[in-house]
């Protein structure tokens, strides 16, 4: 009992001591810019006031050199309007006349030399490269008579004629020539008799007239045999109509129990039960007592490779 009383006194004393801290923490936070001057956009006033040391500071030579603006070299030059144009035939700016007669310096000639290939690059470069240094031995080599013979271009055929220029010039004899009666006769188009259209006198008449011999012709046994149409199969049954009458026996027929059993729809479980099958990992009793046949054992053996 005494211990409990002492604990209560200690907790009460601690609580009274922490009241000042609680009041201090509970005070709202002061606004940082409450007493600061209001900034107005567009005025010339500084955001922060400069100190007296900054106002009386003297500029160093280095700062003065860095504060100078960059020199504009093209300010005093009279350039045309197409100075910054792209894709025009005219130059960007005109060159002085003395540049045409001046000679480049040794430094410019050295910089203008093409870059030389490195030995390592020449060794690793494939042979099919179009640029390959030719050795002095290859340059001074003298071709044999066989190589000179093979290097000769193929000669065209002696009877080869060059392509004639177009248009062909017509000679005066051909222009003033007159065709003979035979050539004019051969030049006439061939007149063909129209056999697919005949002028009918009567509407009931045939399109093409049948000759007298065709009317009196008698067909041979072979022609009669070939003219017979192809017969249908003996067991051929023609197509049944889409609508046919129902017989009296079908109307008064009584279904048997077996037909009624087969006519019932298939009962399937719900999808919820199919997806969550509690007996999915349960082995049946028949599977536990089953024996593997020799054929299944043979098929179950792994393939030896």
């Amino acid at each position: 009992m005494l211990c409990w009383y002492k604990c209560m006194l200690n907790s009460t004393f601690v609580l009274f001591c922490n009241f000042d801290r609680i009041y201090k923490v509970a005070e709202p936070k002061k606004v940082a810019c409450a007493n600061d001057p209001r900034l107005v956009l567009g005025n010339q006033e500084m955001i922060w006031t400069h100190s007296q040391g900054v106002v009386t500071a003297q500029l160093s030579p280095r700062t003065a050199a860095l504060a100078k603006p960059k020199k504009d070299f093209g300010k005093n030059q009279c350039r045309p309007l197409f100075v910054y144009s792209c894709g025009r035939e005219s130059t960007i700016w005109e060159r002085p006349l003395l540049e045409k007669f001046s000679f480049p310096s040794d430094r410019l000639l050295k910089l203008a030399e093409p870059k030389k290939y490195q030995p390592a690059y020449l060794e690793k470069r494939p042979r099919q490269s179009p640029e390959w240094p030719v050795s002095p031995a290859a340059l001074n080599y003298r071709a044999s008579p066989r190589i000179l013979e093979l290097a000769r271009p193929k000669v065209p055929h002696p009877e080869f004629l060059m392509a004639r220029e177009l248009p062909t010039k017509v000679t005066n004899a051909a222009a003033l020539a007159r065709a003979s009666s035979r050539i004019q006769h051969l030049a006439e188009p061939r007149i063909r008799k129209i056999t697919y259209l005949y002028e009918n006198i009567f509407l009931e008449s045939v399109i093409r007239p049948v000759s007298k011999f065709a009317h009196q012709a008698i067909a041979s046994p072979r022609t009669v045999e070939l003219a017979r149409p192809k017969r249908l199969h003996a067991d051929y049954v023609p197509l049944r109509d889409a609508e046919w009458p129902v017989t009296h026996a079908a109307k008064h027929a009584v279904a048997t129990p077996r037909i009624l059993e087969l006519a019932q729809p298939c009962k399937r479980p719900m999808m919820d039960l199919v997806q969550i099958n509690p007996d999915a990992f349960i082995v049946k009793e028949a599977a536990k007592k089953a024996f593997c046949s020799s054929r299944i054992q043979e098929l179950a053996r792994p393939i030896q490779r």
Side-chain angles (χ1 to χ4, degrees):
M1 188 67 180
L2 183 61
C3 293
W4 177 82
Y5 183 71
K6 289 182 178 181
C7 290
M8 290 294 295
L9 289 176
N10 292 334
S11 60
T12 307
F13 177 75
V14 171
L15 182 62
F16 278 108
C17 291
N18 292 337
F19 275 163
D20 297 339
R21 176 63 180 168
I22 293 173
Y23 282 128
K24 186 177 181 180
V25 173
E27 291 179 357
K29 188 175 181 180
K30 296 181 180 180
V31 182
C33 58
N35 300 325
D36 296 340
R38 180 70 61 180
L39 297 178
V40 181
L41 182 64
N43 58 1
Q44 301 297 328
E45 298 179 1
M46 293 297 200
I47 300 178
W48 296 282
T49 57
H50 295 289
S51 62
Q52 190 67 23
V54 175
V55 175
T56 59
Q58 294 182 358
L59 188 65
S60 63
R62 178 58 179 168
T63 306
L66 294 175
K68 290 181 180 180
K70 189 175 180 181
K71 185 178 180 181
D72 187 6
F73 295 94
K75 185 176 181 180
N76 299 324
Q77 295 181 6
C78 298
R79 296 183 180 179
L81 296 177
F82 51 83
V83 173
Y84 303 103
S85 62
C86 299
R88 295 191 55 172
E89 298 180 359
S90 58
T91 56
I92 298 179
W93 56 77
E94 296 179 358
R95 295 182 300 171
L97 298 176
L98 296 178
E99 289 187 3
K100 299 181 180 180
F101 302 100
S102 61
F103 294 94
S105 61
D106 297 337
R107 177 60 177 169
L108 291 178
L109 292 175
K110 185 177 180 181
L111 293 175
E113 292 179 358
K115 188 177 180 181
K116 297 180 180 180
Y117 293 104
Q118 299 293 334
Y121 170 73
L122 296 177
E123 293 177 0
K124 296 181 180 180
R125 187 170 57 172
R127 289 288 180 179
Q128 61 268 18
S129 177
E131 297 180 3
W132 192 264
V134 183
S135 61
L139 293 174
N140 301 325
Y141 177 75
R142 293 183 179 181
S144 61
R146 177 58 180 169
I147 295 178
L148 293 175
E149 182 182 357
L150 294 174
R152 292 176 184 174
K154 189 176 180 181
V155 182
H157 195 268
E159 300 180 359
F160 173 75
L161 298 177
M162 297 296 293
R164 190 168 53 181
E165 297 180 359
L166 295 177
T168 306
K169 295 182 180 180
V170 183
T171 60
N172 296 331
L176 302 175
R178 294 183 178 180
S180 61
S181 58
R182 175 61 178 166
I183 295 177
Q184 291 180 0
H185 178 69
L186 293 175
E188 293 179 357
R190 186 176 180 181
I191 300 175
R192 299 179 182 274
K193 188 177 180 180
I194 300 175
T195 57
Y196 60 86
L197 182 60
Y198 293 93
E199 295 181 0
N200 301 326
I201 302 175
F202 304 101
L203 297 176
E204 292 82 2
S205 60
V206 295
I207 298 176
R208 296 188 180 184
V210 183
S211 61
K212 183 179 179 181
F213 297 98
H215 284 288
Q216 298 177 357
I218 298 174
S220 61
R222 177 60 178 168
T223 306
V224 174
E225 183 179 357
L226 293 174
R228 291 176 182 174
K230 187 177 181 180
R231 297 180 181 179
L232 300 174
H233 195 269
D235 298 336
Y236 173 76
V237 178
L239 296 176
R240 189 169 56 177
D241 297 337
E243 297 180 0
W244 59 88
V246 183
T247 59
H248 181 76
K251 291 180 180 180
H252 297 82
V254 180
T256 60
R258 177 58 178 168
I259 294 176
L260 293 176
E261 182 181 357
L262 294 176
Q264 292 180 359
C266 182
K267 295 182 180 179
R268 294 183 176 84
M270 298 176 63
M271 293 299 297
D272 298 339
L273 300 178
V274 172
Q275 294 178 359
I276 304 174
N277 188 8
D279 301 335
F281 300 97
I282 296 177
V283 184
K284 298 180 181 179
E285 296 295 333
K288 294 179 181 179
K289 300 178 182 179
F291 291 94
C292 185
S293 62
S294 59
R295 177 59 178 168
I296 296 177
Q297 291 180 357
E298 182 182 357
L299 295 174
R301 292 175 183 174
I303 301 175
Q304 297 180 359
R305 295 184 175 88

